[in-house]
Amino acid sequence: MNKETLSAAERSFLALVETTQHHRDSTTWGQLAIRHHAGEGPQYECRHVDDRGTTRENLDQLDGPTALRERTRFDNSGCYRPLKTAPNLPTGWYLAPSDSTRLIEAISVVYPASIENWYLERQGELDITHWREAVARQTGRYGDLDTIDPSTLTTLVRTHCTDDSCLKRRQWELDGEHGIDVPGDDGVFPCREPCPYFLEAAKQFQDGAIEAGEQFKPE
Amino acid sequence: MAALVLAAHGSLSHPGAAQSTYEHADRIRDLEAFDEVRETFWKEAPSFREVLRTVKSDEIIVVPLFTSEGYFTRRVLPRELRLTGEEPLDVEVSVSIADPVGTHPAMTEVIERRGQRVCTGSLDDVGLAIVGHGTERSETSAKATQTHADRIRRRDLFGAVDALFLDESPYVESVFDRMTASEIAVVPFFIADGEHTTEDIPAAIGLKEGHQERTVKVNGRTVHYSGAIGTEPVITDVILDRAEDAGVDVAKARSHLPPVARLGGA
């Protein structure tokens, strides 16, 4: 595939990487630092933002999306990362995608759908699903999440959705008219609806497994 | 060419749950039969709700990596993909959902072979217990497990064959009451080695935690436990077959599959 086969969202993302390059060293995408290299050889490089000052000799070179997927499924302690946008991306590696297609592929492994939703938001077309609408469509074990009161929901959001817990920037609210008053969300890409992790956290609270202010940690 | 989306359950607590899905997806990517191959999960990202927007092809075939035609394939997946007609699709492409891999006739042999592999001696004296998920939420959920059990029973390879379930009757706990054989092969009819196959089923039949294939003595009987069948490489070919049913030409790609992943080839 070449650049012509890239989507509008992907082209826009690559333009962001180019533009940022003019002003700073690298583009930050969640906990990824992305650099563009002109000239011969691999055109891009991704690594953890905390590894920006580390020489390549001191990092493990990952050879492709499968290696990247396996590495980023676990944090630095070897614990499983069920939430891909949690701020616990492991450090100590770099990947050198040969071209823009390979770069996009890598971003999709680490932060799936982030480019697409970021682009939709820029276009003013992000399809946000607020809490009440999102739980209304649930069935099965999530079927009664609509009984959670707004105050508890606010506490659950404060515990699970701010930058300390998730790097997505929450755009969903209680409903189209009522917000959830929780600041501290500066992520570059948006969160368009309560995610599976948040739904499970809410369910765990409902089942009495966690307190409202306690973070859900799957075991 | 079309895009292939593999839809599976995934897990918030077990990294192994997504592993078989990734392995099948990687194997199919290598065949270059599709423009794109994507994984999506109920519990992990990308979610069913957001996966379609990550695909660029104008035709998408979704193959559910589920064992039965039930709650997830009939209700949750179509709803989350926006295919029920109640809300517009979030993409302007053609999307179709294939039948799940678990109801494919070839899965009978996959289960039977797995049962054979964990046993050591003559199968005449072995009871094969196929454990499905089952759920009271769907009348059809148990059907695939029962169908495969019926077929294997008719082939007369094992001394006895029974279908049991985690979430509906007959429950897996009743295996020692229902089967009289002194040797029992327990094969979980699950795609993923997650909580159900590493904790719930072992606990229900008196095994310690862990999903490795192994043989232990329980209640004076010899129990061979096999782990989830979803890791069988031949399921890759079952996925291709489902995509072919949905109109994709996979004949050439199939010829490049390693023999171990080919239906009838292992």
Side-chain angles (χ1 to χ4, degrees):
Chain A
M1 281 201 276
N2 54 37
K3 210 160 183 170
E4 279 68 49
T5 63
L6 295 170
S7 68
E10 291 164 347
R11 286 196 300 272
S12 193
F13 171 77
L14 292 170
L16 171 82
V17 173
E18 303 285 334
T19 310
T20 316
Q21 193 92 23
H22 284 300
H23 301 285
R24 316 198 276 272
D25 191 53
S26 60
T27 303
T28 302
W29 194 258
Q31 286 184 296
L32 286 178
I34 303 157
R35 290 165 56 134
H36 182 223
H37 298 289
E40 295 194 355
Q43 289 181 22
Y44 295 92
E45 195 219 59
C46 305
R47 57 171 71 188
H48 192 290
V49 286
D50 291 349
D51 289 330
R52 273 180 295 208
T54 309
T55 58
R56 279 190 171 186
E57 291 71 33
N58 291 312
L59 299 172
D60 300 330
Q61 180 176 8
L62 304 182
D63 62 5
T66 303
L68 180 66
R69 182 180 75 213
E70 291 311 308
R71 183 75 178 237
T72 58
R73 293 187 79 209
F74 302 90
D75 66 16
N76 276 342
S77 320
C79 294
Y80 173 46
R81 301 176 63 237
L83 182 63
K84 288 191 166 69
T85 44
N88 59 356
L89 191 73
T91 54
W93 56 270
Y94 77 95
L95 179 82
S98 55
D99 58 23
S100 52
T101 302
R102 299 279 96 79
L103 172 69
I104 300 287
E105 202 172 68
I107 305 294
S108 307
V109 165
V110 181
Y111 298 124
S114 62
I115 293 173
E116 290 79 8
N117 285 332
W118 165 83
Y119 178 73
L120 286 171
E121 185 183 46
R122 276 168 67 111
Q123 299 298 106
E125 293 172 1
L126 185 66
D127 50 335
I128 295 162
T129 307
H130 298 295
W131 169 258
R132 283 188 167 142
E133 198 187 333
V135 293
R137 75 168 195 263
Q138 298 303 318
T139 51
R141 65 190 300 272
Y142 296 150
D144 58 356
L145 288 179
D146 55 356
T147 59
I148 288 179
D149 66 80
S151 159
T152 303
L153 180 67
T154 302
T155 309
L156 286 165
V157 166
R158 188 175 294 120
T159 316
H160 295 91
C161 301
T162 56
D163 291 342
D164 292 343
S165 308
C166 176
L167 298 170
K168 283 201 278 190
R169 179 171 28 83
R170 180 178 55 84
Q171 292 300 288
W172 53 272
E173 302 288 351
L174 179 63
D175 56 32
E177 293 174 3
H178 304 90
I180 299 171
D181 187 17
V182 178
D185 227 6
D186 298 323
V188 60
F189 39 85
C191 173
R192 45 165 299 281
E193 72 169 8
C195 71
Y197 192 90
F198 187 82
L199 293 181
E200 185 58 33
K203 184 64 191 165
Q204 293 289 324
F205 161 77
Q206 208 170 40
D207 289 350
I210 59 167
E211 304 286 325
E214 182 186 347
Q215 192 161 31
F216 164 56
K217 291 201 166 74
E219 288 175 359
Chain B
M1 279 197 288
L4 176 69
V5 171
L6 299 183
H9 192 283
S11 169
L12 295 174
S13 52
H14 286 264
Q19 196 57 39
S20 59
T21 304
Y22 287 133
E23 285 171 13
H24 296 303
D26 286 344
R27 207 174 280 130
I28 294 171
R29 262 183 214 107
D30 287 345
L31 302 174
E32 298 185 352
F34 298 87
D35 271 338
E36 301 161 89
V37 180
R38 292 263 187 276
E39 306 90 341
T40 180
F41 303 96
W42 174 232
K43 296 283 189 178
E44 301 175 37
S47 64
F48 295 164
R49 199 63 168 178
E50 296 187 357
V51 71
L52 297 182
R53 67 190 59 191
T54 70
V55 178
K56 285 172 285 193
S57 314
D58 53 14
E59 185 187 1
I60 303 175
I61 312 293
V62 182
V63 175
L65 293 197
F66 285 84
T67 49
S68 64
E69 191 70 78
Y71 176 65
F72 274 101
T73 58
R74 288 195 172 172
R75 198 161 175 193
V76 176
L77 187 58
R79 177 192 78 207
E80 293 296 302
L81 292 172
R82 299 177 170 88
L83 291 173
T84 57
E86 287 172 26
E87 53 187 330
L89 262 178
D90 56 332
V91 290
E92 293 174 355
V93 299
S94 145
V95 184
S96 55
I97 305 188
D99 287 338
V101 294
T103 57
H104 194 286
M107 296 302 283
T108 300
E109 207 174 322
V110 173
I111 298 168
E112 190 181 63
R113 271 197 217 157
R114 185 60 84 95
Q116 274 179 281
R117 205 175 69 204
V118 291
C119 296
T120 44
S122 161
L123 299 177
D124 292 345
D125 304 323
V126 176
L128 175 67
I130 306 166
V131 184
H133 191 294
T135 174
E136 307 291 346
R137 290 184 197 125
S138 166
E139 288 177 6
T140 56
S141 179
K143 198 176 157 199
T145 312
Q146 285 158 343
T147 302
H148 294 307
D150 289 344
R151 285 199 197 121
I152 296 173
R153 198 176 291 119
R154 285 199 296 271
R155 290 150 75 115
D156 224 15
L157 192 66
F158 288 89
V161 180
D162 202 5
L164 303 112
F165 302 94
L166 263 187
D167 276 359
E168 68 176 84
S169 180
Y171 290 97
V172 59
E173 286 88 346
S174 64
V175 64
F176 297 113
D177 298 328
R178 294 172 59 90
M179 304 198 96
T180 54
S182 59
E183 200 174 334
I184 300 173
V186 179
V187 177
F189 185 41
F190 282 75
I191 295 297
D193 260 324
E195 193 174 337
H196 294 321
T197 64
T198 62
E199 294 175 20
D200 300 341
I201 298 173
I205 57 174
L207 304 186
K208 290 193 180 129
E209 210 173 287
H211 67 275
Q212 295 89 353
E213 289 185 12
R214 63 196 190 282
T215 297
V216 287
K217 282 270 184 193
V218 181
N219 296 342
R221 321 264 198 108
T222 303
V223 176
H224 306 285
Y225 186 64
S226 82
I229 51 102
T231 53
E232 289 288 337
V234 76
I235 291 176
T236 301
D237 205 359
V238 173
I239 294 168
L240 290 179
D241 219 48
R242 288 310 196 201
E244 191 170 40
D245 290 345
V248 182
D249 180 7
V250 296
K252 192 174 166 205
R254 177 171 276 151
S255 67
H256 295 299
L257 268 181
V260 69
R262 229 178 279 167
L263 285 171

